[in-house]
Amino acid sequence: MKAYDGMYIDGTWRPAAGRAVIEVVNPADEQVIATVPAGTAEDVDAAVRAARAALPAWAATPPAERAARLTALRDALLARQDEIAATVTAELGSPLKLSQAVHAAVPVAVAGSYAELAATYAFEERVGNSTVLHEPVGVVGAITPWNYPLHQIVAKTAPALAAGCTLVAKPAEDTPLVARLFAEAVHEAGIPAGVFNLVTGLGPVAGQALAEHPDVDLVSFTGSTAVGRRIGALATGMVKRVALELGGKSANVILPSADLARAVNVGVANVMTNSGQTCSAWTRMLVHREQYDEAVELAAAAAAKYGDRIGPVVNAGQRDRVRGYIEKGVAEGARIVAGGPESPRGTGYYVSPTVFADVTPGMTIAQEEIFGPVLSVLRYDDVDDALRIANGTVYGLAGAVWAGDEAEAVVFARRMDTGQVDINGGRFNPLAPFGGYKQSGVGRELGAHGLTEYLQTKSLQF
């Protein structure tokens, strides 16, 4: 076990204000692998003061130079990919192949995309007799989750830096180690002292102190809707901006003309990725009544193949939460066709890949975010019924539509109340805006739309 010390504040690792630590546990074997400092409000204040002091110079740095620093950051992350993947596997439990292909690789692509945007974005534009300036919003407080620990830090830090903002990041307490690697990459990239700062700590202590700090101009949070409401209340009560990427209960709508086998297999894979710990996972599969039984059989067979291929969930509390939802599904009348609440292994926070049939739209497992490898398969009678079910939750983060004719799928997708829809298995696009409708959040991440979250607008009239 390694005991890490210090917070990355003002370009250096400095001792924490308190002596309390957070134990980092490997979810696969339940062993403590490291400790990190449990930051306090005093640590947060020091970090925010450093970010505030660094803001004028960084905001005045030409976009081309900010782009160069982001390119250097991308290269520093690329050089650390193996270490990043191994670290995420150790603290999150993600299988190494997934850590390499997603957790380590996607942040490199995102950082590179913002290096390009910083160099090409129109920070000034002419509108009639006005010059419109897009200026940095100021100091950003970035509070990130554990499920994609490096991606979420990069998805907030890269656009903030491109915009000319400075920031303080507070990573999830379950996965702080990869955040420390990121701080090392920032330092190596030559990003000036105070522009990026890292404070590890618990959400109710360090996270709350960051959200309510008077010198933080924008709070960017990714996590549960319940915590997002709390952070939003703290921030908006002080009239500061918020960007919230919250929960989801996304629908995978398989229209009768679709390739049923492909749609089901890809849909199951989507739910099982990252052990189901993905806010945009398609956890509700909607199938026409006449194809329902076949789809259930296909889904059960596909899920059974993931029994020894997915990792654990992040901690004991999450394991128990997911099992509780599985038990709730049975109690409300749903039928398990794969998996179940029993642990598939004696050690580690594992949950069996689970598929429910005979799920109705009002059931708890069809309405609430489970955040585990659990799929609900629902029947629909016609297209309008499918749309009603798809839109029938408080969430609206993502979704999918499958049809034999792409145009048919697009017509349906346009009617979905959700922020992102994949058509016939469309690939992830790091330049496309990501974010939700309804209680799935406020604002967008990634691409140019993600950059605008960190800008404010001024007009000069001539």
Side-chain angles (χ1 to χ4, degrees):
M1 183 187 78
K2 184 167 184 178
Y4 291 93
D5 188 23
M7 312 286 188
Y8 186 73
I9 297 174
D10 204 17
T12 188
W13 293 97
R14 63 170 65 177
R19 303 183 65 180
V21 298
I22 297 169
E23 292 185 338
V24 182
V25 176
N26 184 331
D29 61 15
E30 305 180 40
Q31 298 299 305
V32 177
I33 57 175
T35 62
V36 298
T40 65
E42 185 177 345
D43 296 307
V44 169
D45 183 63
V48 172
R49 283 189 283 109
R52 178 61 62 185
L55 179 62
W58 183 247
T61 300
E65 175 57 24
R66 298 202 296 261
R69 293 305 96 213
L70 281 164
T71 297
L73 176 59
R74 179 205 63 193
D75 293 344
L77 292 173
L78 183 62
R80 286 171 167 78
Q81 276 194 296
D82 289 344
E83 186 179 9
I84 287 168
T87 300
V88 174
T89 291
E91 63 183 347
L92 180 63
S94 170
L96 186 58
K97 286 185 178 180
L98 181 66
S99 295
Q100 293 167 334
V102 176
H103 292 291
V106 171
V108 172
V110 172
S113 73
Y114 279 110
E116 294 179 9
L117 268 171
T120 59
Y121 190 82
F123 289 98
E124 295 188 15
E125 58 181 323
R126 190 74 177 179
V127 180
N129 66 307
S130 301
T131 295
V132 178
L133 310 179
H134 302 285
E135 300 179 335
V137 71
V139 175
V140 175
I143 303 174
T144 60
W146 45 259
N147 60 327
Y148 290 92
L150 182 59
H151 167 66
Q152 287 295 339
I153 290 176
V154 173
K156 298 180 189 305
T157 300
L161 297 183
C165 296
T166 59
L167 71 159
V168 178
K170 203 295 286 183
E173 49 263 38
D174 289 291
T175 54
L177 303 183
V178 75
R180 294 180 65 93
L181 289 180
F182 179 74
E184 292 176 3
V186 165
H187 193 84
E188 181 181 306
I191 292 170
V195 172
F196 173 85
N197 306 272
L198 178 72
V199 175
T200 54
L202 301 175
V205 179
Q208 179 164 330
L210 186 57
E212 62 187 7
H213 198 289
D215 277 336
V216 170
D217 300 295
L218 180 149
V219 180
S220 180
F221 169 78
T222 297
S224 72
T225 297
V227 177
R229 290 193 194 102
R230 172 63 177 160
I231 288 174
L234 288 171
T236 56
M238 301 176 72
V239 198
K240 64 178 66 177
R241 285 170 51 179
V242 294
L244 303 173
E245 198 268 281
L246 307 176
K249 195 67 184 175
S250 301
N252 179 18
V253 182
I254 304 175
L255 297 177
S257 62
D259 181 336
L260 183 65
R262 179 167 180 256
V264 170
N265 285 325
V266 173
V268 170
N270 176 279
V271 173
M272 300 307 161
T273 297
N274 212 38
S275 302
Q277 299 169 127
T278 303
C279 53
S280 57
W282 311 332
T283 52
R284 295 180 298 144
M285 181 179 290
L286 278 56
V287 184
H288 190 272
R289 182 173 297 278
E290 292 183 358
Q291 298 174 313
Y292 186 81
D293 290 342
E294 182 182 358
V296 167
E297 289 183 8
L298 289 167
K305 298 176 183 177
Y306 286 87
D308 58 356
R309 290 167 54 186
I310 65 172
V313 295
V314 70
N315 56 40
Q318 186 65 18
R319 176 198 60 196
D320 295 343
R321 179 178 185 270
V322 176
R323 287 181 182 172
Y325 272 109
I326 296 173
E327 292 168 353
K328 184 77 168 178
V330 173
E332 292 185 358
R335 175 168 55 97
I336 292 176
V337 296
E342 298 79 13
S343 176
R345 306 190 191 186
T347 303
Y349 307 130
Y350 289 89
V351 177
S352 295
T354 299
V355 176
F356 276 104
D358 300 335
V359 180
T360 57
M363 288 182 178
T364 302
I365 59 171
Q367 288 292 318
E368 298 184 9
E369 185 177 47
I370 297 173
F371 227 59
V374 181
L375 170 67
S376 296
V377 188
L378 296 89
R379 298 177 179 85
Y380 67 83
D381 293 322
D382 55 31
V383 170
D384 288 338
D385 189 38
L387 185 69
R388 176 186 63 82
I389 296 170
N391 290 341
T393 76
V394 299
Y395 298 110
L397 185 57
V401 184
W402 301 80
D405 179 6
E406 183 178 285
E408 179 188 9
V410 170
V411 168
F412 190 96
R414 288 179 179 273
R415 300 173 67 193
M416 294 176 73
D417 297 334
T418 191
Q420 193 170 71
V421 185
D422 293 347
I423 305 296
N424 287 342
R427 294 180 294 109
F428 172 73
N429 179 3
L431 299 179
F434 180 81
Y437 287 22
K438 300 187 284 187
Q439 293 187 30
S440 285
V442 176
R444 292 295 182 269
E445 292 186 330
L446 304 180
H449 291 80
L451 177 59
T452 61
E453 294 292 331
Y454 299 91
L455 295 169
Q456 55 190 349
T457 305
K458 176 188 294 180
S459 62
L460 310 178
Q461 281 62 248
F462 297 90

